[in-house]
Amino acid sequence: MAYSKLGLTKTLTYRGISLVIVLFGVLFLTVIVLGATGVSDRILDSMLMEELRGIRQQLVTQIKDVEQLNKAVEEIKKQLIIAYGLDKPWYERLPSMMLKIITLDLGSAKNIQSFSGSKQISVIIMERLPNTILLVTTAIIINFLIGLFAGTWVATKPGSIIDRLVSLYAAISYAIPTWWLGLINILVFAFFLRLFPYTGMFSAPPPTDPFLRILDLLWHVSLPLLTLIIALSGSWIYITRSLTVTTAQEDFVNVARAKGLPENLVQRRYIVRVVAPSILTNVILGLAGSIGGAILTETVFGWPGMGQLYYEAIVSLDEGLILALTYMFTLVYVIARFVLEVLYVVVDPRVRY
Amino acid sequence: MESYVLEVEKLNLAYRTLRGDLLAVNDVSFSLKPGETLGIVGESGCGKSSTAYALMKMVPSNTSIFTGKIIVDGENIMEMDDADLRKKVRWKKISMVFQGAMNSLNPVIKVGFQVAEPLIVHDNVPKNEALERAKELFKLVGLPQDFINRYPHELSGGMKQRVVIAMSLVLNPKILILDEPTSALDVMIQAQIMNMLKDLRKSLNLSIIFITHDIALASDLCDKIAVMYGGQIMELGAAEQVLPDPKHPYASKLIGSIPTLRSEKKLDFIPGAPPDLVNPPTGCRFNPRCPYRFELCEKETPPIYILDGGRQVRCFLYKGKG
Amino acid sequence: MSIFSEARREFWRSYTSKAGTFFIILLSLISLVVVLTMPLDFGTKYWSNPIYWVDYPKTSPPAWINTFMSEKLVEHQVLYSYTPVQVEDLGGSYMKIYSFTYDFKYNQFPSFLTFRIRGLTFYENPPVIRVHIIRPDNKIISLLTYPVSTEGVSQTAPYVLYKTEPKRFLLSGDPSLFRVLSDFLYKEFHISYSPEKVYSVGVEKIIFGVPKDDNSFEPLNGKYQVNILLYCENENDSLGEVAMVFGGRVYGLMGTDTLGRDLFQGLLFGFPVALLIGLATSILSTILGAVLGIVSGYIGGKTDILIQRIADIVNNIPLLPLLIFFTFIFGGKLWVIVLILVIFGWPSLTIIVRSMVLSLKSSNFVEAAVAVGANSIRIMARHIFPQVAPFILAQLIFYTPQAILSESALSFLGLGDPSIPTWGQILDYAFRNGAVYLGYWWWILPPGLLIILSAITFVLLALGLEPVVNPRLRRRR
């Protein structure tokens, strides 16, 4: 008993460290790039100017003499330059900048506001994060289940017409850009057929009654979810099917039957249970793609999540927000990945050291 | 007349392939008494493994012909439906250790559970009781008892082999089939396993069918030897009679081709290749490679001739002698 | 040699290979034609230059949809004339008449009207240009009176104007035409429209229509003759080209976008770009990944561990956010995109190749080569590489569609190379202009279909190659 517990901890620790390195690596890389290209100077500069403007506005009510006002502002500006670290070269600001981001002190956005009116980036992000998680996680779970059931079912009929259709469907859906499919879906279902809304997460204004609110949410999430399912379930089904077919041919499955075990038990314990780690691996592998997909899908459907925020940041050229979002995406990815890795080690005893 | 634990009569098994029907098992008959060990020897592809699978009625989906009688403990399992077969015969009366035991274990389930599983599923034995029985079996095959909590990847090849053997014994079968149980193991482990089998045979009064291409191994363990070629049994008899004095030309070439240490004897080998089982040679299957062949051999398939002492030979050389 | 011919035979056996080969040849041919016939700076010079597209109808579906319409949409027409049909000597000056006929047979009105002249040459005083149109009901409208301005003309005769850039008169927005039409309506139909009302109703309705009681206009079908009169002093004065653009509501093979850009040209140009990006990215990352994989697997030891760790970490980095970050910082130049895709693309191949090399390392012929005394590089190049080459080739082909899809995703987000029209970029522009919400299907459907087509081509090829690479998958004869 003690043997496997130790192995578990060791494996997880190793994986955890690996992922933390990824996070820091990304952070380090982005901060260096920002510094070296002079972009971080620009960001800090504009933040400084912004703060200075606010201070000036405040002082205008207090100091009536223009000369005095300007001198006071100049003094404060000098202090701010030191406070922002703009008097030092960018590589000396590195550690404090990294520390700030790690502690989620992300500064404020240029033009974008949160729904509550705050310009604090961390507030904006925290508002949008649940929406992204809602959409992405639901899509992954549905696709996983479709893949599992349809895939194992198709695997019982290898070489049949339905099998070939599945392969064809998988190949085609691999080549279709999910975001374009989203555009087409909006065109067909919203514009031509008028069945679903064009954009957004709720109607404007959203209904106040909680039940109607949920219904409204479901109505709005249908099209993005449908897009993600059509575009991605194909490869899920195909992968599950391939893995199941391979596993079903293994010797131990034969042995299970020879042992006189009923067929559905053989399916569950000797095929699906054995295949589960590999399928989980695929979830892990697809995770990075899901993040990218989230960005694109949210943009197309106007879904107010982190992905759409990224798009808005690009359009409004808000470097500070883009930096913060790059880090946040990586953070979310690392956390999600770690959770899945834990799940994987639980499910597959072979990887425990 | 002592009762037989296994009687096989005129067993035929053919698979459908792109080129035609492949006759893997042809007119095979033999019987087994309780506690007896039968060794089935022959080259690769001669039908030994197919016979074993047939005995368990585990034939693939592309089977075209499957006829004959297989009487296990008085019942002809060929006439049983799948449900009965699963509940009453498989693993309970007759179990098997497959070739390539390395891959016979489910990689994500503890080995102790896999051994105990038939008890839990078949006989509704509660889990901890079943695991106790697994521990006993482990002891029997020479494995430490706490190994029941290990996973297959934590065991060596020899250990896995022992687990598989333990697994095959869990429901106290009367007949145990072993298909090349030691071919992937080194000589030392091989010897250990063989000794273990001998002990088990004695203590459990087990009937064993031992399939191998290694005649030396077979001679060590088996009471009776059957020599198969091209899907047919060519010779069948007591080991102490067949081995020193094989009657069938193929058997004598096969047994003669075993190298003995420090012998001056020149190594015999059999020229030619094993027969194509889709289009077997006309007449006796061995005739293209047989040094003693004559005209009749190419025209008709020889039947089994029974000689003194119950020895069976399928060869026209013994026509009229049995 | 027989390995190759057997490989080729195996490859040809499936439909996927045949289809894939067909499409790749098709794509390559189209790209070749594009590269040979279209200017390489098409992107910067024409596509990004709105002025070039001024005479095209805006957001118009393709012309061929008229075959499915019961009521045909107005087709875009440009009528030209190069030589005068008549020259009149007015004693001391001349009047040259250029003319063409517009056959109007639709149930809706043209979308705009533009008059254009190119290559005006005169020797003495600047000429005066007049344009009028004679309707099928014989009413005449004077569309334009233009005394030529001498701005920018050369110092000595002959004076040449509008040689490089034509002079355009956007009649649909010409205030003096509004006044003319206001008078015309009053005089001919006793309807009183102020010039502002003429503007809001649209000049095309008045010129090409007949007013009805309910304040609407019914199209007047028939032949309209357009006369362009050049009043000049020297008989050698001439106009190189006169043209009238009757703006349609459909255009071309693929329609136009909001700037009037001919989508057919834009989409065509996307072919070689897509192929280039896809292949460049996959070739480079395959080379990098394979080399590192072979070195890592064969050399082993510290090098192996180092490469493995780096590959592991890079593989764990989510691609799109970083891709967005870097293109944002460095600009969406093509080479930046390719570089980033390569940098993040090599680890997956390295990991697989390494494990293949590890099992090859202990194979007989490698051991023999070592025993003979061959050095590592030689062994890697001559013994190991040929064994993994087919797999690497298959991966290369399989990675290409990923590159194409990644680039189009980037372009869609607005981070692509703005000077080159790619299919993703066209879609970006479409989305930003609300094409989805306004139903401009011809703007959205074709670029996506082309992306799919080029991605599928490589997927088919990769699938066709699989049995060659992985002998276990070969179909039994």
Side-chain angles (χ1 to χ4, degrees), chain C residues 121-127 156-159 232-238:
Chain C
T121 314
F122 61 96
Y123 290 88
E124 297 168 47
N125 284 323
T156 54
Y159 307 102
C232 50
E233 294 189 352
N234 188 307
E235 69 176 324
N236 290 317
D237 292 353
S238 68

Side-chain angles (χ1 to χ4, degrees), chain C residues 56-262:
Chain C
Y56 287 75
K58 316 282 176 267
T59 35
S60 311
W64 43 262
I65 71 165
N66 263 339
T67 45
F68 304 107
M69 309 278 286
S70 47
E71 195 179 280
K72 307 258 177 255
L73 292 169
V74 181
E75 281 178 17
H76 187 76
Q77 267 199 303
V78 184
L79 294 172
Y80 298 90
S81 178
Y82 302 98
T83 49
V85 295
Q86 208 185 327
V87 180
E88 274 187 29
D89 187 331
L90 303 174
S93 63
Y94 296 86
M95 177 173 81
K96 297 197 177 181
I97 305 183
Y98 299 77
S99 173
F100 38 68
T101 314
Y102 177 55
D103 190 2
F104 181 52
K105 38 191 174 148
Y106 302 98
N107 256 342
Q108 335 92 35
F109 298 95
S111 53
F112 65 90
L113 202 60
T114 298
F115 176 67
R116 207 170 72 198
I117 53 177
R118 215 193 271 268
L120 171 67
T121 314
F122 61 96
Y123 290 88
E124 297 168 47
N125 284 323
V128 173
I129 300 177
R130 275 215 162 97
V131 182
H132 46 245
I133 187 167
I134 307 173
R135 295 162 39 125
D137 57 4
N138 287 318
K139 302 197 202 296
I140 302 181
I141 305 179
S142 173
L143 295 176
L144 175 77
T145 302
Y146 178 61
V148 172
S149 114
T150 51
E151 230 181 281
V153 85
S154 52
Q155 299 290 41
T156 54
Y159 307 102
V160 176
L161 280 175
Y162 319 133
K163 197 102 180 137
T164 43
E165 281 300 318
K167 173 91 180 147
R168 277 196 183 84
F169 302 87
L170 186 58
L171 299 173
S172 306
D174 186 356
S176 40
L177 183 58
F178 302 153
R179 281 192 289 272
V180 166
L181 289 175
S182 168
D183 292 339
F184 169 77
L185 275 176
Y186 189 71
K187 205 172 117 207
E188 301 286 347
F189 298 101
H190 305 290
I191 293 181
S192 190
Y193 270 28
S194 68
E196 289 77 30
K197 184 136 187 203
V198 167
Y199 172 57
S200 68
V201 162
V203 310
E204 301 82 17
K205 287 208 177 89
I206 301 174
I207 298 174
F208 296 100
V210 171
K212 295 210 310 232
D213 301 324
D214 52 355
N215 258 325
S216 68
F217 285 82
E218 193 175 310
L220 176 64
N221 290 144
K223 293 202 194 309
Y224 290 69
Q225 183 169 356
V226 180
N227 286 335
I228 300 102
L229 306 144
L230 179 73
Y231 294 94
C232 50
E233 294 189 352
N234 188 307
E235 69 176 324
N236 290 317
D237 292 353
S238 68
L239 278 170
E241 172 196 289
V242 297
M244 183 84 98
V245 181
F246 301 86
R249 296 184 188 277
V250 291
Y251 186 79
L253 281 170
M254 291 285 164
T256 63
D257 65 4
T258 45
L259 284 184
R261 294 187 288 201
D262 181 8

Side-chain angles (χ1 to χ4, degrees), chain B residues 112-309:
Chain B
F113 182 82
Q114 292 187 53
V115 171
E117 200 178 12
L119 276 173
I120 301 174
V121 175
H122 268 250
D123 295 343
N124 283 316
V125 174
K127 184 166 164 192
N128 41 354
E129 234 183 273
L131 285 175
E132 282 303 314
R133 169 96 173 106
K135 278 191 192 166
E136 281 168 34
L137 284 167
F138 270 40
K139 203 161 140 203
L140 199 62
V141 299
L143 285 172
Q145 293 198 352
D146 59 349
F147 270 28
I148 59 167
N149 283 316
R150 287 212 179 173
Y151 287 96
H153 65 276
E154 295 172 290
L155 301 173
S156 72
M159 293 177 195
K160 278 195 264 210
Q161 192 63 293
R162 291 175 199 248
V163 169
V164 172
I165 294 176
M167 191 163 73
S168 66
L169 297 171
V170 73
L171 294 181
N172 289 320
K174 302 218 167 132
I175 306 167
L176 176 63
I177 307 176
L178 296 128
D179 189 356
E180 307 272 13
T182 55
S183 51
L185 303 171
D186 69 57
V187 209
M188 294 263 306
I189 314 277
Q190 204 175 70
Q192 287 174 14
I193 304 265
M194 294 303 290
N195 284 332
M196 180 187 77
L197 285 174
K198 286 186 210 163
D199 290 337
L200 285 175
R201 172 178 59 175
K202 226 173 14 179
S203 57
L204 300 173
N205 204 26
L206 203 54
S207 306
I208 297 182
I209 300 180
F210 191 83
I211 299 174
T212 182
H213 60 270
D214 187 340
I215 301 175
L217 273 186
S219 65
D220 191 26
L221 181 69
C222 303
D223 308 312
K224 298 206 301 207
I225 300 260
V227 177
M228 281 188 78
Y229 182 82
Q232 295 173 331
I233 294 187
M234 292 303 185
E235 182 161 349
L236 173 60
E240 63 232 8
Q241 292 182 344
V242 173
L243 290 170
D245 179 28
K247 300 282 186 196
H248 192 282
Y250 172 68
S252 71
K253 287 282 185 190
L254 191 68
I255 292 167
S257 65
I258 304 173
T260 34
L261 214 54
R262 297 200 198 110
S263 163
E264 292 296 324
K265 191 167 76 156
K266 266 214 297 230
L267 275 181
D268 245 343
F269 69 95
I270 313 171
D276 176 6
L277 292 174
V278 180
N279 293 313
T282 43
C284 171
R285 301 243 169 130
F286 186 57
N287 88 73
R289 301 162 80 183
C290 183
Y292 303 108
R293 74 164 177 277
F294 46 90
E295 239 185 85
L296 186 59
C297 302
E298 288 171 42
K299 292 210 190 112
E300 284 176 32
T301 308
I304 301 244
Y305 296 107
I306 306 190
L307 309 176
D308 312 324

